[in-house]
Amino acid sequence: MVVVEPASRRVMVRGSEFIGRVAAIEKVDIRSRVTGFVKRPLFNEGDTVKAGQVLFEIEPESFQATVDQQAALLAAAKADLDNANTNLSRATELIRTNATSQAQVDQRKAEQARAAAHVQQAQAALDQARINLSYTTIRSPIDGRIGRASLTQGNLVDQGTGTLATVVRDDTVHVFFGASQREVLSFRKSGQTKDAQKVTLKLADQSIYGERGAIDFLDVTVDQKTDSQTIRASFPNPDRFLQDGQTVRVLVEPESGAESIVVPAVAVAADQSGHFVLVVNADNKVEQRRVKTATSRDGFTAIAEGLKGGEFVIVLGQQRARPGAVVTPQKNATN
């Protein structure tokens, strides 16, 4: 006895599977731009933060003192400029009555120009001091979720300290994967558009991620080491189920396809001459039928040539069936 199942017609789309890496749509490493001692972090690790929200504070006293010092120097420079303007005005009046020399007027002009330059210099130093003071308050540049703090209160930080914390925006994520030149060229020659592709993710536990994605970028260069191009797909991530850096499998297939003759994959065998199936004809005799296979998925294989719909193929007991032998077929109970 052998178990048989009829070849049927169904839509079998030809898809491809790639290894991909999840990346947050925005990711910012929070760093210090000045040197100082850190006060306690002003967030809870894992929290959602808003753009502009204060995350860290660096002790500001020395920076405030520098601002005050530069403000005083600016005031002194402005006073010198006022005095230089007055002296130049007087010299200009005196030259009209020949009470002073042109050389004296020229000297007063030079003194006025130097005083004006000193004011500009002092103003720039004050502006820089205020900028440095503003750096003692570290804010989030984006909306997102913040990870753990790498330093605690009291640590000395500077520009070389490294990342204090990382903020990611992952309500939408990118998935990057590489496709060979053969796959890219095959897609381009097919005449299909990227919008006509169904893009899904298979997770580590083999489950399918619930949100569908869309291809939105093909890199403009080819990696010479792997002869592949990087492709990017975007996926909604409303529940933050996908994490930055996570490895996934990317399934790309046409949105629709033509009907094909399909049989259970277990019915297809192969030898040195190629693929074949064992068919039970109307007289219950076994025939070996050479076939040309196409795509396979979900336990079924599409047959491009060599088989007609409705013909019965052996799915169980092939080892007991020989071409030309008469068998007692039993239909698969699942059908």
Side-chain angles (χ1 to χ4, degrees):
M1 182 189 72
V2 295
V3 178
V4 298
E5 190 167 324
S8 59
R9 299 189 68 87
R10 67 171 64 183
V11 174
M12 285 281 286
V13 293
R14 185 180 182 88
S16 300
E17 183 172 318
F18 308 90
I19 296 176
R21 183 78 65 180
V22 177
I25 195 169
E26 288 185 285
K27 179 180 179 180
V28 179
D29 290 333
I30 305 300
R31 300 174 182 268
S32 174
R33 301 178 70 172
V34 293
T35 300
F37 290 96
V38 177
K39 293 185 176 181
R40 66 179 180 85
L42 301 177
F43 61 89
N44 294 319
E45 296 173 330
D47 274 359
T48 298
V49 297
K50 297 291 185 182
Q53 180 176 332
V54 178
L55 304 178
F56 295 92
E57 287 185 340
I58 295 174
E59 292 182 348
E61 289 80 7
S62 63
F63 296 93
Q64 183 61 59
T66 301
V67 169
D68 295 341
Q69 180 185 28
Q70 294 301 330
L73 292 176
L74 176 60
K78 287 181 176 179
D80 290 342
L81 177 59
D82 289 342
N83 185 58
N85 287 333
T86 299
N87 290 338
L88 176 60
S89 179
R90 288 173 180 169
T92 302
E93 289 294 328
L94 291 174
I95 195 66
R96 292 175 182 173
T97 59
N98 294 321
T100 189
S101 65
Q102 184 61 46
Q104 190 70 14
V105 174
D106 292 341
Q107 181 179 353
R108 294 291 182 261
K109 286 181 179 180
E111 290 172 351
Q112 190 268 350
R114 283 194 297 271
H118 289 160
V119 169
Q120 292 180 340
Q121 185 179 34
Q123 182 65 61
L126 177 58
D127 291 342
Q128 185 60 60
R130 285 172 173 165
I131 290 172
N132 291 339
L133 176 61
S134 72
Y135 290 158
T136 63
T137 300
I138 302 176
R139 303 176 184 273
S140 175
I142 62 172
D143 293 342
R145 291 190 301 149
I146 191 166
R148 67 181 184 86
S150 62
L151 294 176
T152 55
Q153 182 176 358
N155 281 280
L156 180 67
V157 297
D158 58 25
Q159 295 182 13
T161 298
T163 302
L164 304 181
T166 299
V167 180
V168 296
R169 178 190 162 200
D170 56 0
D171 53 345
T172 297
V173 296
H174 291 147
V175 177
F176 292 90
F177 58 96
S180 69
Q181 280 299 285
R182 180 179 179 182
E183 291 164 323
V184 172
L185 291 173
S186 176
F187 169 75
R188 286 179 167 172
K189 290 179 179 179
S190 70
Q192 300 178 59
T193 65
K194 60 183 177 61
D195 296 330
Q197 300 297 302
K198 178 182 177 183
V199 187
T200 54
L201 296 180
K202 184 186 292 185
L203 306 179
D205 62 356
Q206 302 303 306
S207 64
I208 300 298
Y209 179 58
E211 301 285 347
R212 286 181 52 176
I215 294 174
D216 58 10
F217 173 73
L218 173 65
D219 203 355
V220 296
T221 61
V222 176
D223 188 325
Q224 296 183 11
K225 294 180 180 179
T226 62
D227 198 34
S228 64
Q229 280 181 268
T230 298
I231 299 175
R232 185 183 71 192
S234 296
F235 287 81
N237 192 31
D239 299 325
R240 273 61 175 187
F241 197 77
L242 300 176
Q243 303 289 318
D244 181 75
Q246 180 179 353
T247 300
V248 294
R249 290 191 174 273
V250 186
L251 308 178
V252 181
E253 56 192 13
E255 191 68 55
S256 60
E259 278 193 344
S260 303
I261 301 295
V262 300
V263 297
V266 295
V268 182
D271 58 19
Q272 293 181 346
S273 298
H275 292 92
F276 66 89
V277 295
L278 296 179
V279 178
V280 177
N281 63 23
D283 298 325
N284 290 340
K285 284 187 178 182
V286 178
E287 298 178 12
Q288 186 187 67
R289 190 77 58 80
R290 292 289 171 180
V291 295
K292 182 178 179 181
T293 62
T295 187
S296 296
R297 63 172 299 169
D298 300 330
F300 288 89
T301 298
I303 305 299
E305 295 178 7
L307 198 63
K308 297 179 181 179
E311 291 189 288
F312 286 92
V313 297
I314 299 176
V315 297
L316 183 63
Q318 291 98 324
Q319 68 277 10
R320 295 188 296 273
R322 295 289 183 269
V326 177
V327 295
T328 302
Q330 180 178 328
K331 292 183 178 181
N332 194 339
T334 61
N335 290 279

